[in-house]
Amino acid sequence: MRIGVDIGGTNIAVGLVDKDGKIVATGSRPTEPKRGYAAIAKDIAEISLELVKRCGLDVSQIEAMGIGVPGVADNEKGIVLRAVNLYWTKVPLVKEIHKYIDVPINMDNDANVAALAEGVFGAGRGTNSSVTITLGTGVGSGFILNGKVFNGSHHFAPELGHIVIGDNGVLCNCGKVGCLETFASATALIREGKKAVMKNSDSLILKLAGGEIESITAKNVIDAARQFDETAMLIFNDYVKYLAIGIVNIINILDPEVVIIGGGVANAGDFLLKPLKEEVSKNILFKDLPYADIRKAELGNDAGIIGAAIL
Ligand SMILES: [Zn+2]
């Protein structure tokens, strides 16, 4: 049995995970980042010990603990180098947790951890290499090679959300213009939806948002496109086109067996995947050779705990 920990900006989620990647027990507490890392480390240890006890186990039966952090972690040193949302810089998280529980601890970035879960137990199971792209508020990504996270020489790879796709004039959080994140996040769909209904106030997007521009969601835009609303279809077609360019770039660099699409936007299912696969096939370099299959993620929010447990 292993312990998986998912530290989010809002909640710390902890789970006991068996050898088949199934979560057998979970617990959580609010993160409340302002109280500092020592209190958070103590909570992680306390929830873990509670779960071990609840399942009638002893700590000696726990093989390892893994932690997904919303930032950059140096696993060899057990230090979180940076986690902006937690206000952490060079935090000795592993040492702090070891004050309360004696198990081997590994850490990695939360997007890498989710990609590990998808690659091993989710949509990528049975493959040797997979890239998972999470389309949410931003664009997260992880590259899994032979069952392990590949996170580069300085612990921050891959940041596929920040590969530049084209000059759309949209400033990314990273300070550059035209990152994949500014084209392919849920935030991008919302931004384009709002912009479009200013010009076309009769668009179904606005109706689905209850007539309030500020209430427009990515789902409103997608649902309006499904119902053949012209304004929404234009936005969605562009969205697919630029996401496909990003995926082709990723395939050109890494040539993985599968590209897994997760996050809120992936809930559009085949409405997204079908045109996306078509666009990728048009732009792929070697059209007569096999290349990565594109699949929807399977594990949802559980990926954070499952992936952490198998780090
Ligand atoms: Zn960027």
Side-chain angles (χ1 to χ4, degrees), residues 161-163 172-182:
H162 300 284
I163 56 175
C172 182
N173 289 332
C174 74
K176 287 186 304 183
V177 169
C179 291
L180 179 60
E181 187 159 298
T182 66

